[in-house]
Amino acid sequence: MSEILQDHIESFLDDFSPETSDLSWELRAYAKDNHVPIIDEEVKQFLSFYLNTLKPRKILELGTAIGYSSIWMSQIKGVQELHTVEIRPEMFALAKENIERANCKNVRQFQGDAADYLDKSQEMYDFIFIDAAKGQYPFYFKKALQRLEKNGVIGFDNILFRGMISNQDLVKRRKITIVKRLRKLLSELKLDQAYEKTLIPLGDGFLLVRRNDV
Ligand SMILES: C[S@@+](CC[C@H](N)C(=O)[O-])C[C@H]1O[C@@H](n2cnc3c(N)ncnc32)[C@H](O)[C@@H]1O
C-alpha cells in the first residue's frame, strides 16, 4: 500500500474495476511475486478512462518492465502505435514474450536508456507516459516536450514518491536526491503558466501536464 491513499480506499478502488483478462491477472501476480513495480490498479483505471477520452494515436512509454502497461495502453481504441523503452535486457525480453502472447502488433520495443531514446528519436507522440528512473524525471520532461504533438499530454507515475514529496518525515536518506529533483520539477511546474497540470492522488501519485500555448 502507498502512503497516498488510506488502505481501505485503495482496496475498494482496486476491487471496483478488476482486471479483465487472464493475462492481466497473470502479469499482475507475476509482478507482485517478483517485486517488479508496475502501475497501481487504481491508476490504471484512471489512466485507461483518461486515454479513452484523449484518444491518442501514438503513445511513448518510458519504462516497460514486463510489458504490463504497454499491453493495455496499446489496446485502447484508436491507438495505432505504442513505443516503449526499457534499459534492462532481462525485462526487455520478458516484455517481448508477454507482448507477443497478448498479440499486440502495434507495440514497438526499444532496449536502452530512456534519455538516449528521447535524444535520438525523431518520432512525435500524442501521449508520453514517464515511468522509468524517478531521479531522471526533470530531464525526461524537458526532452519529452520536444517529442510531443500539439495538444499532446505527458503523464508521470510515482510523482508523490511514497509520500516523500509532501511529507519530510517520510523521506529516506538514500532517496534524498530523487526527492529533491521531483520537488524541484513540481515547484517549477507550479510557477510556470505555460503548462496546465493536475496532480492526482491515486497510487503513488500521478501527474498530467499539457502545454497551454497550443
Ligand atoms: C515502474 S517500472 C515500469 C512499469 C511499467 N510501466 C508498467 O506499469 O507496467 C520502471 C522500469 O523502468 C526501467 N528503467 C529504469 N531506468 C531506466 C532508464 N534509464 N531507461 C529506460 N528504462 C529504465 C526499469 O528497469 C523498470 O523496468
Side-chain angles (χ1 to χ4, degrees):
M1 294 284 171
S2 74
E3 292 285 341
I4 316 297
L5 283 180
Q6 289 183 33
D7 289 358
H8 68 99
I9 302 278
E10 197 169 328
S11 305
F12 190 84
L13 293 181
D14 292 356
D15 191 49
F16 182 63
S17 174
E19 299 292 359
T20 45
S21 79
D22 289 348
L23 184 61
S24 301
W25 277 109
E26 185 190 318
L27 295 187
R28 195 164 276 291
Y30 177 93
K32 190 168 180 231
D33 293 347
N34 294 278
H35 310 288
V36 178
I38 60 168
I39 193 162
D40 284 293
E41 179 63 41
E42 68 273 16
V43 181
K44 176 191 169 187
Q45 286 173 28
F46 165 76
L47 188 55
S48 171
F49 187 96
Y50 177 70
L51 291 178
N52 271 298
T53 310
L54 183 71
K55 301 194 189 318
R57 279 179 305 168
K58 232 168 123 181
I59 296 179
L60 172 65
E61 173 183 55
L62 305 179
T64 318
I66 57 173
Y68 176 79
S69 51
S70 322
I71 292 172
W72 66 260
M73 286 196 295
S74 73
Q75 290 170 338
I76 282 174
K77 206 169 155 212
V79 173
Q80 289 167 4
E81 281 180 62
L82 182 142
H83 297 171
T84 183
V85 188
E86 171 59 49
I87 201 162
R88 290 172 59 193
E90 69 280 17
M91 282 293 155
F92 177 88
L94 254 175
K96 188 165 187 295
E97 247 175 60
N98 292 330
I99 289 163
E100 278 170 13
R101 283 175 67 199
N103 201 23
C104 295
K105 301 230 184 303
N106 58 347
V107 175
R108 258 170 75 192
Q109 288 182 255
F110 297 85
Q111 202 222 305
D113 179 57
D116 286 350
Y117 177 86
L118 288 168
D119 282 339
K120 289 179 193 144
S121 173
Q122 300 295 314
E123 308 272 353
M124 297 299 282
Y125 299 95
D126 304 297
F127 182 72
I128 300 181
F129 175 37
I130 298 186
D131 196 19
K134 311 304 159 198
Q136 301 300 310
Y137 275 20
F139 312 110
Y140 295 154
F141 178 57
K142 286 209 175 76
K143 292 171 195 278
L145 286 171
Q146 312 299 315
R147 308 264 53 89
L148 198 63
E149 289 283 9
K150 237 180 146 189
N151 294 318
V153 174
I154 299 179
F156 301 80
D157 199 12
N158 311 101
I159 198 71
L160 293 175
F161 205 46
R162 289 168 245 158
M164 287 185 252
I165 301 308
S166 52
N167 185 346
Q168 189 60 27
D169 294 343
L170 296 174
V171 175
K172 301 211 170 72
R173 259 180 97 93
R174 62 181 195 286
K175 303 289 185 192
I176 282 174
T177 306
I178 298 178
V179 171
K180 279 187 181 157
R181 288 182 181 177
L182 290 177
R183 282 184 181 161
K184 186 162 179 274
L185 172 66
L186 287 168
S187 61
E188 284 172 4
L189 274 171
K190 181 177 148 183
L191 298 173
D192 197 333
Q193 298 306 313
Y195 303 103
E196 185 187 6
K197 53 261 167 187
T198 182
L199 209 166
I200 296 122
L202 286 177
D204 199 18
F206 197 82
L207 174 70
L208 288 170
V209 181
R210 84 160 88 235
R211 261 196 304 254
N212 272 328
D213 59 342
V214 287

